[in-house]
Amino acid sequence: MSEIDLQAGRMKKVLRGVAGGFAGRILTLIAPFLVMPALLTDLGERGFGIWATAVSLTTMAAFLDFGMGNAVLTGLSKALATNALREARAVIVTGYIVLFTIAGVLVGLLLVGTALFAPMIVPSFGEQDLAILRAILLAFFLSIPISLVQRLLFAQQKIAQANAWMIAGSALSVSMCFLAIRGGLSAGSVTFLYAIGVPTTLLLATLAFFLSNPHLRPLLNDYDPAIARRTFKSGFGFLVLSILTSVGLNIDQVLISAMFGAEQVINYTVPYRLASLLMMVVTILYIPLWPANAEAMARSEWTWVRRNNLRMSLFGSALVAISGLCLYLSSDWIIMFWMGRDFPGQSEVLAASAILAVVMSLSSPYSMVLNSIGKAGIQSIAWL
């Protein structure tokens, strides 16, 4: 196969990933839109506010994987580009060792902390509030190592397949949530069953991945100290970057809850959740560029990198700007149809979020270039 054919094939993979990402993410985002009215009715405004704040905390705490997910994606993409299977397995086994250790420690701290110290730390929390918080955090901690399969599929540029598993997980989450509400289960059980659907499906995805890729099944004797150190170093850079981006993009609901009470979170959550459709577009457009850039740079195809990232930046930002304007103009009708009421300041929240999405869309392709070579430091400076 000629170099031109290889480059054209790589761009086709990117476009297939974008197309599959749109289909998958749209269906995945439908899940919270479906359950939020039911959760608001079942949990009440305070319980719903606790749930929304807890979900925001888990999104903000994406850095708790210590950057290993992104480090594995970068290292595995490079290894697969050069067919270095021994190195690929070493990267994978390092990722799983670290992530299972982190998850075990966090689950232990959660169970002990909520049993012994939570009433002292948050005395205003009732039993239902504590049950909701515990359920969301437990599901999140368990998902940390299980979610690594998404990075493995991304590294193989199988973005559409990864999204298909997310669709299945969202469908399972919604089904279990509605069944739990209909069955009259407790608030903790309802929120836990909703949160655990995706991790359960990703566990099945992990089994399917290694059954279909026996050459990538990691064993303990695949562990390589030199590769582990390199992965840790890359992971630390992504850890710092992840902390900054997660806090920057998700701290609003936590601040609102702390300053004005959990009951006020809903006024921000609903329009922001609607605006998250734009963030979804940004993610879908540019994630496929990460492994594609890694492959291209491993082959020193610099012209491909420059040309296609510029095209994606211009096209993506125009698409997000047009989508944001349409969403802003129709937001009042959409929110009324969706939630059956208006919320104070909803137009301002949505407008500000749309502007943020356009700015991120312009810069994201170049972030993917830096990510693909493990250069997180310069991005951290920008996010500061």
Side-chain angles (χ1 to χ4, degrees):
M1 184 179 293
S2 69
E3 198 69 27
I4 294 176
D5 291 335
L6 284 172
Q7 292 180 9
R10 184 183 306 120
M11 197 60 202
K12 286 180 180 177
K13 288 180 181 178
V14 171
L15 294 177
R16 281 199 300 268
V18 170
F22 270 112
R25 288 303 181 98
I26 287 172
L27 293 173
T28 301
L29 272 180
I30 288 175
F33 282 89
L34 290 175
V35 301
M36 282 174 67
L39 284 175
L40 178 58
T41 301
D42 188 68
L43 303 178
E45 289 201 359
R46 177 176 175 81
F48 183 91
I50 297 293
W51 170 79
T53 303
V55 171
S56 180
L57 283 171
T58 61
T59 306
M60 190 166 55
F63 61 82
L64 285 177
D65 74 342
F66 283 70
M68 290 304 298
N70 290 335
V72 167
L73 173 54
T74 297
L76 185 57
S77 296
K78 292 179 181 178
L80 294 178
T82 56
N83 202 34
L85 297 182
R86 174 71 175 80
E87 181 178 344
R89 291 193 296 272
V91 170
I92 292 172
V93 76
T94 299
Y96 274 116
I97 289 173
V98 173
L99 293 179
F100 271 110
T101 301
I102 291 170
V105 170
L106 290 174
V107 168
L109 290 175
L110 173 67
L111 297 179
V112 173
T114 54
L116 299 179
F117 306 113
M120 293 182 286
I121 298 173
V122 192
S124 63
F125 267 30
E127 186 59 38
Q128 175 176 295
D129 301 336
L130 193 58
I132 293 171
L133 182 64
R134 185 190 300 116
I136 298 301
L137 293 180
L138 179 59
F140 169 66
F141 294 156
L142 292 174
S143 73
I144 289 175
I146 297 171
S147 298
L148 187 62
V149 68
Q150 291 179 288
R151 302 303 203 283
L152 306 185
L153 289 168
F154 286 171
Q156 289 187 323
Q157 300 186 50
K158 294 181 178 179
I159 312 297
Q161 185 175 330
N163 281 305
W165 282 109
M166 291 298 293
I167 292 170
S170 296
L172 181 61
S173 291
V174 170
S175 300
M176 291 196 300
C177 181
F178 280 127
L179 287 173
I181 292 174
R182 181 170 295 183
L185 298 185
S186 67
S189 298
V190 168
T191 50
F192 179 75
L193 289 173
Y194 175 59
I196 203 64
V198 171
T200 300
T201 308
L202 290 179
L203 180 59
L204 298 176
T206 302
L207 297 175
F209 178 86
F210 288 116
L211 285 174
S212 59
N213 295 278
H215 58 290
L216 293 178
R217 293 176 191 168
L219 300 173
L220 285 178
N221 58 13
D222 289 318
Y223 180 81
D224 185 314
I227 294 175
R229 284 193 297 271
R230 188 166 70 237
T231 305
F232 282 129
K233 183 178 179 180
S234 177
F236 179 77
F238 283 119
L239 167 64
V240 175
L241 177 60
S242 183
I243 291 173
L244 293 172
T245 55
S246 295
V247 172
L249 293 174
N250 297 284
I251 198 171
D252 306 274
Q253 293 171 91
V254 178
L255 291 176
I256 292 168
S257 180
M259 296 174 67
F260 304 110
E263 297 83 359
Q264 297 299 320
V265 173
I266 190 173
N267 296 328
Y268 178 87
T269 297
V270 172
Y272 184 75
R273 179 67 68 175
L274 183 60
S276 68
L277 292 169
L278 300 174
M279 295 299 184
M280 175 202 72
V281 173
V282 174
T283 302
I284 290 168
L285 281 173
Y286 303 122
I287 282 293
L289 284 173
W290 189 331
N293 284 327
E295 179 184 308
M297 286 189 283
R299 300 175 184 273
S300 299
E301 297 172 6
W302 309 112
T303 301
W304 187 95
V305 174
R306 286 194 296 270
R307 181 177 63 245
N308 288 289
N309 282 279
L310 176 59
R311 289 174 176 173
M312 291 293 287
S313 177
L314 296 176
F315 168 77
S317 57
L319 177 62
V320 172
I322 294 170
S323 301
L325 179 60
C326 293
L327 193 62
Y328 174 78
L329 294 175
S330 58
S331 61
D332 290 345
W333 177 86
I334 293 173
I335 291 175
M336 178 60 70
F337 176 79
W338 170 34
M339 297 297 292
R341 53 175 282 199
D342 291 323
F343 298 88
Q346 61 187 31
S347 296
E348 290 84 351
V349 172
L350 202 142
S353 301
I355 293 170
L356 174 62
V358 173
V359 174
M360 292 186 66
S361 186
L362 277 168
S363 62
S364 287
Y366 304 102
S367 296
M368 295 302 105
V369 173
L370 294 169
N371 287 345
S372 64
I373 54 176
K375 298 293 185 181
I378 189 170
Q379 297 180 76
S380 297
I381 293 172
W383 273 94
L384 277 173

